Amino acid sequence: MNYNIHDILFWGLSAMAVGCALGVILSRNPVNSVMFLILTFFAISGHYLLMNAQFLAVVNIIVYAGAIMVLFLFVIMMMNLNADVEPQKGQLVQLAGVISGGVLFLVILAAIKSASPIDVDKSASQIGLIDNLGKVLFTKFVLPFEISSVLFLSAMIGAIVIGKKEDTHVINK
Amino acid sequence: MPVNSTHYLFLSLLLFSIGIMGVLIRRNAVIIFMCIELMLNAVNLLMVAYSRMFGDADAQIFVFFIMVVAAAEVAVGLAIIVMMYRKVHSVDINILNRLKH
C-alpha cells in the first residue's frame, strides 16, 4: 500500500468527475445539471493538471466552464426551464436507456480489459506546456488552425442566421 | 495500486457511458446537448492521458481542435434549440417527431 499524492489526487478527481457526471443526468432541474457539468469540467481540468497538460487545463476552464456553460445557462434561463416543466420519459424507456448504456460499458470494458497497461511517467514532462504546444501548433498544424478560424466565422454567421426572427418583416407590414 | 493507462481508459469509458445514458434517458434537448459535451470531454481526457504516456504532443493539439469544434457546435446547436423553442414553446425532443408528418 504505497499510495502517493499523485494516486490520491487521481482517485479523488475521478470520484468527483463520475459523481458530478451522474448528477448531470439525474438532477431534475436543468440549472443544477449545468452546475454539475461545470464541476465535472473542473475535475477533468484537475486531471489535465495532474498529467502536466497545463495549457489544456486552462483552456478547458476558460472555454468549457467559462464560455460554453455560460451559454447553456443563458439559454436555460431565457427559456425559464425548471424542474416543474421538465419533460420526463416513462420508467420503461429510462430503464431501457440505462441498460443500453450499461451494456455498452460492459462490452467495451470486456474488449479493453486485456490492454497492456503503460505506467504513468511521474517525472514532469514538458509536452503540455504552452511553448512546446505553440511550436507544434504553428508548424505542423498551422493549416488546420487557420481552417478552424473559418469554421468559427461560419458558425457565428450560421448562429445569427438561425437565431434571428423570421417574421419581423411580416410584423412590420 | 499505482495509476497506469488502464485507469484512465476505465475512467474515460465510464464518463462516456454516463453521457450515452443521459442522451437515452432525458427528453430535454438542452440536457441531451450537455451529455454530448460530456462524451467529448471523456474522449479528450483519454487523448491527453495517452499523449502523456507516449510523449507525443500531437494528441494535445487534437484535443485543442476538439474544443474549438465543440465551441462552434454549441453556438449553432443552441441557436437551433432556441429557434425550436420559439416555434413550439418547448424543448421536449418528442415534439420533433412531427418532422416526419
Side-chain angles (χ1 to χ4, degrees):
Chain A
M1 296 295 280
N2 49 351
Y3 281 110
N4 56 25
I5 188 74
H6 184 280
D7 295 350
I8 294 169
L9 280 175
F10 173 84
W11 291 112
L13 287 171
S14 302
M16 179 180 165
V18 172
C20 293
L22 283 174
V24 172
I25 66 169
L26 293 181
S27 62
R28 287 279 171 88
N29 194 337
V31 178
N32 286 349
S33 287
V34 172
M35 294 304 168
F36 275 123
L37 195 56
I38 291 174
L39 280 180
T40 311
F41 289 158
F42 271 100
I44 289 174
S45 279
H47 276 294
Y48 291 165
L49 279 182
L50 215 55
M51 290 183 277
N52 214 17
Q54 297 172 7
F55 172 67
L56 284 179
V58 173
V59 166
N60 197 43
I61 299 254
I62 293 175
V63 173
Y64 267 112
I68 293 182
M69 298 323 290
V70 168
L71 213 56
F72 272 107
L73 264 186
F74 271 149
V75 169
I76 285 174
M77 289 179 177
M78 196 176 79
M79 294 174 182
N80 199 15
L81 300 179
N82 50 44
D84 303 331
V85 296
E86 178 69 13
Q88 287 294 322
K89 272 190 176 160
Q91 295 275 319
L92 209 60
V93 182
Q94 287 193 349
L95 187 67
V98 170
I99 288 175
S100 321
V103 166
L104 177 84
F105 176 72
L106 286 181
V107 167
I108 303 181
L109 193 67
I112 64 176
K113 76 175 194 317
S114 57
S116 56
I118 308 164
D119 279 333
V120 180
D121 182 16
K122 296 272 172 36
S123 63
S125 84
Q126 302 297 310
I127 292 170
L129 302 188
I130 190 161
D131 53 350
N132 183 38
L133 282 185
K135 276 176 196 148
V136 179
L137 182 62
F138 288 111
T139 53
K140 198 174 174 183
F141 292 98
V142 67
L143 184 63
F145 180 76
E146 297 294 340
I147 292 174
S148 69
S149 71
V150 179
L151 172 76
F152 259 125
L153 185 66
S154 58
M156 189 180 73
I157 296 172
I160 292 172
V161 169
I162 292 172
K164 88 173 185 234
K165 277 194 162 57
E166 293 163 15
D167 49 356
T168 44
H169 62 281
V170 178
I171 295 171
N172 288 342
K173 282 173 191 172
Chain B
M1 188 160 59
V3 173
N4 56 36
S5 67
T6 317
H7 292 92
Y8 281 106
L9 207 53
F10 288 165
L11 172 63
S12 158
L13 175 59
L14 197 55
L15 286 176
F16 193 86
S17 303
I18 290 173
I20 294 257
M21 281 180 206
V23 169
L24 290 177
I25 68 176
R26 298 300 294 258
R27 270 170 58 189
N28 188 334
V30 181
I31 308 281
I32 289 175
F33 213 23
M34 278 162 47
C35 291
I36 292 172
E37 296 300 315
L38 189 62
M39 289 193 269
L40 283 174
N41 263 277
V43 175
N44 281 353
L45 178 65
L46 193 61
M47 284 181 89
V48 173
Y50 273 100
S51 150
R52 177 72 202 275
M53 277 147 210
F54 287 106
D56 193 354
D58 287 9
Q60 300 204 7
I61 301 292
F62 268 66
V63 170
F64 179 68
F65 281 124
I66 290 175
M67 285 181 188
V68 166
V69 173
E73 172 225 333
V74 164
V76 176
L78 282 179
I80 292 175
I81 291 177
V82 168
M83 189 189 67
M84 169 185 150
Y85 183 77
R86 229 182 252 148
K87 298 253 187 229
V88 297
H89 292 285
S90 168
V91 287
D92 189 348
I93 53 161
N94 280 19
I95 288 182
L96 284 182
N97 64 10
R98 284 180 193 163
L99 280 175
K100 70 187 175 189
H101 297 310

